[in-house]
Amino acid sequence: MLRLAGARLLDDRDYPAVRAALAADPVGSCMVSARVEAAGLDPWRLGGELWAADNRPVRAGRLQGLCFSGPNLIPLRGNAPALRSFADRALRRQRTCSSLVGPAEQVLGLWEELSDEWGPAREVRDDQPLMALDTLPIVKADPAVRAVRPDELERYLPAAVKMFIEEVGVDPRSGDGGASYRARVTELIAAGRAFARFEHGEVVFKAEIGAMSATVGQIQGVWVHPERRGSGLGTAGTAAVVTRLVRGLGRTASLYVNGYNKPALAAYRKIGFQQVGQYATVLF
């Protein structure tokens, strides 16, 4: 087993302890749980590494710290010494992640350890309510919102790009001309996890189910055409996606939202979402 000072690289022998840690917070750990359930702990199949703060294998019992290192760095649990060990391991290589994201206490604590070397961040979003709903929405779902068909990619993709630029602040087509982002959107459509309302061939509402574990689906990329904002499309459209998750797929619906986005917060609460945690994101 590979050992370095600080955090320990987990492998499939640690699977029971990892699953127990993820199950303790199914909503907060949805992004990592979805990967682990599909791929186990092998880094090549997982698309990243899982680290523990424990200095020896834990085959049963409680992991004191847990962090995923991949396209995003996601510290799920751990006290100050655990976060320091994750930072020590992260700093042994060049930064490749595009963000730190996850429970606010862990993300902000880890960023404090990393900021001298990795800073300055492009943006720190320290107030992101994590919300969940495990029943049908309490508002009427938009019946015109449906799964996007593969042959509608070219009509859907421009709206997805606009959403990404608005939400993240960068153009997903930069760097590789958009090939990676296009592939990701194509994958979501093929999986039946991209939803839209089309009017006259144009997307006026869109949303996706990004990560989906055995028990939770995380809604992402909610977007309403600028000319149609304030008309209720976002609320009714998101309710349609929630209905698909809860009734169609048997999952709890979850999402996280910037605390300063008061209209979105109001819409999600109107649907029936309740805050169950606090996230934070550090964008590079």
Side-chain angles (χ1 to χ4, degrees), residues 20-144:
L22 297 175
D25 182 12
V27 175
S29 66
C30 177
M31 288 185 285
V32 177
S33 292
R35 286 178 173 266
V36 170
E37 289 168 7
L41 303 188
D42 176 74
W44 187 85
R45 290 183 286 118
L46 187 64
E49 297 178 347
L50 268 177
W51 303 338
D54 312 83
N55 59 12
R56 60 185 182 277
V58 180
R59 306 308 178 204
R62 178 181 174 87
L63 286 169
Q64 298 305 309
L66 184 63
C67 182
F68 173 76
S69 175
N72 304 298
L73 191 60
I74 308 175
L76 289 175
R77 65 194 307 172
N79 56 17
L83 298 175
R84 194 168 302 117
S85 75
F86 297 150
D88 288 343
R89 186 167 186 120
L91 291 172
R92 287 176 174 265
R93 65 188 72 177
Q94 184 177 4
R95 178 184 66 80
T96 58
C97 61
S98 62
S99 70
L100 272 68
V101 61
E105 180 180 357
Q106 280 68 41
V107 165
L108 298 176
L110 183 55
W111 178 235
E112 186 174 349
E113 298 289 339
L114 293 169
S115 57
D116 285 347
E117 296 292 332
W118 283 8
R122 182 164 56 84
E123 186 178 356
V124 176
R125 299 178 178 180
D126 59 2
D127 177 20
Q128 295 181 308
L130 177 66
M131 311 184 83
L133 178 59
D134 60 5
T135 63
L136 290 175
I138 56 178
V139 299
K140 184 178 179 181
D142 185 349

Side-chain angles (χ1 to χ4, degrees), residues 215-245:
T215 59
V216 179
Q218 189 175 87
I219 298 172
Q220 65 177 32
V222 177
W223 181 85
V224 176
H225 192 288
E227 295 179 2
R228 301 298 302 278
R229 291 173 186 174
S231 65
L233 280 180
T235 301
T238 305
V241 182
V242 170
T243 299
R244 174 60 181 157
L245 268 170

Side-chain angles (χ1 to χ4, degrees), residues 141-215:
D142 185 349
V145 170
R146 57 171 176 80
V148 180
R149 300 189 305 268
D151 65 311
E152 294 174 316
L153 171 65
E154 299 304 332
R155 286 195 286 162
Y156 180 81
L157 190 59
V161 169
K162 291 174 184 176
M163 175 281 304
F164 194 97
I165 293 172
E166 287 185 24
E167 176 61 26
V168 183
V170 297
D171 192 327
R173 297 166 297 186
S174 61
D176 64 357
S180 297
Y181 187 67
R182 181 187 182 92
R184 174 56 177 161
V185 172
T186 300
E187 178 185 356
L188 288 170
I189 291 174
R193 287 160 48 185
F195 300 86
R197 176 183 175 122
F198 292 91
E199 291 183 359
H200 308 294
E202 184 178 22
V203 174
V204 295
F205 166 85
K206 67 161 289 293
E208 296 144 5
I209 302 170
M212 189 163 68
S213 72
T215 59

Side-chain angles (χ1 to χ4, degrees), residues 27 128-131 274-279:
V27 175
Q128 295 181 308
L130 177 66
M131 311 184 83
Q274 299 290 324
Q275 184 170 351
V276 297
Q278 188 78 8
Y279 258 30

